[in-house]
Amino acid sequence: MSNRNQIEALTIEQRVACQSDIDVLTCSICLSLMTAPVKQCTVGHNGCGSCMDEVASTIGTCPQCRIPISNGRLLRSTDVNKILLSLKIHCVNHFIYDRESNKWEKNSKGCPVITTVEKSDNHQSTCKYNLVKCPFQGCNVNLFENEMASHIAQCQYQEKIPCPFGPNGTKPEVDQHIRNLLSNHIRINQERMEDIFFDLHQQITTSIELSLEINRNVFSNFLF
Ligand SMILES: [Zn+2]
Ligand SMILES: [Zn+2]
Ligand SMILES: [Zn+2]
Ligand SMILES: [Zn+2]
Ligand SMILES: [Zn+2]
């Protein structure tokens, strides 16, 4: 019995985009998509390297033509190995694991990108459908990268920021708070500005008076 908590790894075979590609690349020994390095008998029958090695060391003949394959008579199948690398497969994020059936299922909302086996790692490192964790402490939400921005905007765990004149809250909370009490905030803001202008005015007046006094003193020295 399989462990229900254990997720079976998604195989290349499950990701193949075109079913007919699998038929010609099925190993006659394990009946799965051949895995590199593929090896062949001298007639040209192919199989996974591991399957062919196993048969060579036990039965000793090709399962398809019965030609001897033991003692180093297997060849590396360069062409098939190349074909395996150019096989077209879905992005891993095209699939979602269904915990009910314990199977990988295609996800219509998943990544639509199809690449070759060779280029799939490259794509995956920049795939917009990689699941990312919400960056805020305490939030356990995992989402596609391209859905994260809208989650972050209303995540309850986001960092608290202060209203310029009042209590802390998340950005949406503070925005809402300011909107609800808009006239208060405008008035307080105006009063602050008036205070600042009053102070500035005082400072300027004082410094003008000061310089006038200096001038008066200087002139009085000259005149008298
Ligand atoms: Zn095999
Ligand atoms: Zn053969
Ligand atoms: Zn992708
Ligand atoms: Zn969050
Ligand atoms: Zn406020």
Side-chain angles (χ1 to χ4, degrees):
M1 217 184 87
S2 74
N3 183 351
R4 284 187 68 83
N5 292 323
Q6 203 176 323
I7 295 181
E8 300 257 340
L10 183 65
T11 64
I12 297 287
E13 183 165 3
Q14 287 167 298
R15 292 169 60 191
V16 168
C18 180
Q19 191 60 38
S20 62
D21 286 347
I22 298 181
D23 300 338
V24 289
L25 292 168
T26 296
C27 170
S28 65
I29 300 159
C30 67
L31 304 178
S32 300
L33 179 72
M34 290 182 211
T35 51
V38 171
K39 291 184 181 175
Q40 59 183 197
C41 75
T42 48
V43 174
H45 298 120
N46 296 297
C48 316
S50 53
C51 291
M52 292 297 265
D53 285 341
E54 170 78 17
V55 171
S57 66
T58 52
I59 302 164
T61 55
C62 171
Q64 292 179 70
C65 67
R66 306 282 161 215
I67 205 172
I69 56 171
S70 55
N71 301 325
R73 269 174 283 206
L74 283 174
L75 307 167
R76 252 181 115 93
S77 197
T78 327
D79 290 349
V80 180
N81 285 319
K82 262 188 215 149
I83 292 170
L84 282 179
L85 283 178
S86 60
L87 197 61
K88 295 230 174 22
I89 54 171
H90 288 285
C91 171
V92 286
N93 296 327
H94 185 63
F95 301 87
I96 190 160
Y97 196 74
D98 180 19
R99 291 193 173 273
E100 284 303 305
S101 63
N102 263 356
K103 270 189 204 140
W104 286 98
E105 307 279 3
K106 287 187 176 174
N107 178 6
S108 57
K109 290 187 202 129
C111 178
V113 169
I114 290 173
T115 64
T116 61
V117 169
E118 198 172 16
K119 295 198 173 121
S120 78
D121 284 353
N122 216 354
H123 162 71
Q124 217 206 317
S125 62
T126 58
C127 178
K128 295 279 172 287
Y129 290 79
N130 284 329
L131 283 185
V132 288
K133 202 189 157 299
C134 175
F136 297 122
Q137 284 237 328
C139 182
N140 291 319
V141 165
N142 285 293
L143 286 172
F144 290 143
E145 219 166 275
N146 59 359
E147 292 173 342
M148 191 44 86
S150 60
H151 166 76
I152 281 176
Q154 41 96 59
C155 176
Q156 294 307 303
Y157 291 89
Q158 67 179 288
E159 282 129 325
K160 300 277 194 273
I161 56 166
C163 155
F165 317 117
N168 293 350
T170 63
K171 189 171 182 304
E173 284 165 0
V174 169
D175 285 349
Q176 189 58 47
H177 154 82
I178 291 179
R179 239 176 277 131
N180 290 347
L181 299 165
L182 193 57
S183 56
N184 287 9
H185 284 81
I186 292 173
R187 186 174 47 73
I188 298 172
N189 205 28
Q190 244 160 13
E191 284 169 8
R192 284 204 174 179
M193 292 306 281
E194 280 164 13
D195 284 353
I196 290 169
F197 279 125
F198 183 78
D199 283 351
L200 265 177
H201 187 252
Q202 286 290 99
Q203 281 173 28
I204 292 168
T205 312
T206 315
S207 73
I208 288 175
E209 277 169 1
L210 201 70
S211 69
L212 280 177
E213 197 167 324
I214 292 169
N215 284 344
R216 252 197 310 276
N217 289 339
V218 171
F219 280 120
S220 63
N221 284 345
F222 270 112
L223 292 173
F224 304 103

